[in-house]
Amino acid sequence: MRRAAITAVGAYLPEKRLTNADLERLVDTSDEWIIERTGIRERRILGRGKGSAYMAIKAAQQALEKRRMPADEIDLVIVATVTPEHTFPATANIVSHAIGARKAWGFDLEAACSSFIYALSIAADSIAAGRVERALVIGSDKMSSIIDYRDRATCVIFGDGAGAVLLEPTDEPVGVMDYMHQADGSGCAYLHMKAGGSLLPPSVRTVRERLHYVYQEGRQVFKQAVVQMAAVSEALMQKHNLTAADIAYFVPHQANRRIIEAAAQRLGFPMDKVMLNIDRYGNTTSATLPLCLYDYEGQLRKGDNLILATFGGGFTWGALWLRWAY
Ligand code: UT7
C-alpha cells in the first residue's frame, strides 16, 4: 500500500526572545502567573520587515538540505498559516519561487491551530493517491503580527516560528497511517480576529478600536481543547486497536501546558511520552507540531508510532497517526 512518509524536518525560529520578564514590563502580569497557568517561559519574535514566508522559506530549505533533495523535485507546497504574507497570493507561491520549487503547485491552508495537521493530511492523501510524488508541508506563523501587546490574556501565549516536513511515497508500513478531523463553527465566537476580512475590512475605525488582533475567551477554549483533543485521539487509537503502550510519543498542539497535561492524562500517556517545547516557543499556531518533530527528531526511531493532536479556532480539531520512517 502506498503511503506518504515524512523523510526530513526543518525549522526556523527567530533569534529575538520575548521573556516573561519582558512581558511584565508591557502588561499587568508576572513570571509566576505565566509559568503556572501556561508553562511558557519565553517566545521568539520575528520583528518588522519580515513575514511568515521568510520563516517558511528557511524551514523548507533546511528540510530539503537534510535530505539533499533539489527543490525542483517538489510537486506540491502547502503552507499552513493564519498569518499569510499577504491576503493573496498564497504564501506557498512565494515560498516555492524563493526555494526554486519550479514544478510545484501549492496553496495556503488556514484552519487556525489545526492548519498544519489538516495540511499534512491533504498532502499525504495526494501522495497516497499517486497524484503527487514529493510534497513540502510547512507551518509558519508570525503571531506577533496579530497580537495586541496590551492584552495580557493573549500576549503571554503566542510566539513566532516555522517548521517544515518533506513527504515522499513509501510502500513500507510507515508514514501517515490514518487521521480523524472535526470542526464546529459555533466556536468562532470564542477565538477569532474581528477585522481585516471581507466582513470588516481595515479602516481607521478598525485600527482605532484595535480589532486586528487575536480575540480569545480563554476559559471556553481551554475546556473544549482538553475534551476534544483527548476524544479524537482516543477514537483514532481505538479504531486501530492502539493503546498508550503502543505509542512512542503523543505530539499535542502546544497551546497551554495544562491543556497538554490534562489531555495526556485522559489518554493514559505519562509525561515522558509527550513532546513538549511550549516553555521555549509558546504557542506558534501552525508551527507547533513540526517544531515538536524537529526538536525530538534525534530521539525517534523507524517504526515509532506517534499520535499528533490539535485543537484551535474554528473550532477545529483532529488527530493523526504517524509511523516514523527513519
Ligand atoms: O491555540 C489555540 C487554542 N488556544 C488555547 O488552547 C488556549 C486556551 N486557553 C488558555 O490557555 C487559558 O485559558 C489562558 C492561558 C488563556 C488563561 O488562563 P486561565 O487559567 O484560563 O485564566 P482565566 O482566563 O480564567 O483568568 C483567570 C484570572 C483572571 O482574573 P480574575 O478575573 O480571576 O480576577 C484574569 O484576568 O487571571 C487573569 N489573567 C492574568 N493574570 C496575570 C489573565 N491573563 C493574565 C495574565 N497575567 N497574563
Side-chain angles (χ1 to χ4, degrees), residues 82-127:
V82 302
T83 51
E85 190 94 339
H86 307 284
T87 302
F88 75 91
T91 307
N93 305 142
I94 294 164
V95 172
S96 297
H97 175 68
I99 65 175
R102 279 177 291 274
K103 290 192 310 192
W105 61 288
F107 54 90
D108 293 356
L109 193 153
E110 191 279 293
C113 293
S114 303
S115 302
F116 180 82
I117 208 170
Y118 287 12
L120 179 59
S121 307
I122 297 298
D125 284 351
S126 299
I127 290 176

Side-chain angles (χ1 to χ4, degrees), residues 62-73:
Q62 194 188 32
L64 290 172
E65 277 161 23
K66 278 164 89 172
R67 185 73 175 149
R68 297 184 202 286
M69 167 93 52
D72 60 7
E73 290 188 17

Side-chain angles (χ1 to χ4, degrees), residues 27-30 33-34 37-38 112-113 151-158 191 216-223 225 253-259 283 285 311-313:
V27 289
D28 179 15
T29 191
S30 67
W33 191 95
I34 301 171
R37 305 307 289 170
T38 71
C113 293
D151 175 12
R152 68 176 183 174
T154 50
C155 75
V156 302
I157 302 170
F158 292 96
L191 183 49
Q216 175 169 258
E217 292 178 28
R219 229 174 283 188
Q220 295 289 341
V221 183
F222 187 107
K223 273 188 255 164
H253 171 53
Q254 310 281 304
N256 184 320
R257 192 185 160 110
R258 288 185 297 133
I259 294 176
N283 182 349
T285 303
F311 185 87

Side-chain angles (χ1 to χ4, degrees), residues 14 145 180 277:
S145 67
M180 274 187 194
N277 57 19

Side-chain angles (χ1 to χ4, degrees), residues 16-31 33-35 38 40-43 45 147-159 282:
K16 183 176 164 27
R17 289 159 203 260
L18 182 69
T19 64
N20 292 350
D22 296 330
L23 287 164
E24 282 176 351
R25 287 188 284 273
L26 292 175
V27 289
D28 179 15
T29 191
S30 67
D31 181 44
W33 191 95
I34 301 171
I35 291 175
T38 71
I40 303 168
R41 290 175 187 277
E42 60 180 35
R43 334 84 200 110
I45 302 294
I147 292 300
D148 185 351
Y149 287 94
R150 294 189 199 172
D151 175 12
R152 68 176 183 174
T154 50
C155 75
V156 302
I157 302 170
F158 292 96

Side-chain angles (χ1 to χ4, degrees), residues 57-217:
I57 290 163
K58 296 266 187 198
Q61 284 173 332
Q62 194 188 32
L64 290 172
E65 277 161 23
K66 278 164 89 172
R67 185 73 175 149
R68 297 184 202 286
M69 167 93 52
D72 60 7
E73 290 188 17
I74 300 297
D75 305 306
L76 170 65
V77 175
I78 308 181
V79 174
T81 186
V82 302
T83 51
E85 190 94 339
H86 307 284
T87 302
F88 75 91
T91 307
N93 305 142
I94 294 164
V95 172
S96 297
H97 175 68
I99 65 175
R102 279 177 291 274
K103 290 192 310 192
W105 61 288
F107 54 90
D108 293 356
L109 193 153
E110 191 279 293
C113 293
S114 303
S115 302
F116 180 82
I117 208 170
Y118 287 12
L120 179 59
S121 307
I122 297 298
D125 284 351
S126 299
I127 290 176
R131 294 265 173 210
V132 161
E133 283 298 308
R134 283 167 284 271
L136 273 171
V137 179
I138 309 160
S140 182
D141 267 310
K142 184 182 179 183
M143 293 307 292
S144 62
S145 67
I146 55 168
I147 292 300
D148 185 351
Y149 287 94
R150 294 189 199 172
D151 175 12
R152 68 176 183 174
T154 50
C155 75
V156 302
I157 302 170
F158 292 96
D160 302 339
V165 298
L166 176 61
L167 291 174
E168 295 179 67
T170 178
D171 294 327
E172 294 184 66
V174 295
V176 175
M177 308 296 287
D178 197 9
Y179 60 82
M180 274 187 194
H181 301 325
Q182 279 181 266
D184 174 3
S186 69
C188 175
Y190 307 110
L191 183 49
H192 60 260
M193 197 160 105
K194 294 192 186 296
S198 55
L199 178 64
L200 202 52
S203 67
V204 171
R205 182 178 81 79
T206 62
V207 172
R208 197 183 294 134
E209 294 180 9
R210 309 184 76 76
L211 303 181
H212 293 276
Y213 297 118
V214 172
Y215 170 85
Q216 175 169 258
E217 292 178 28

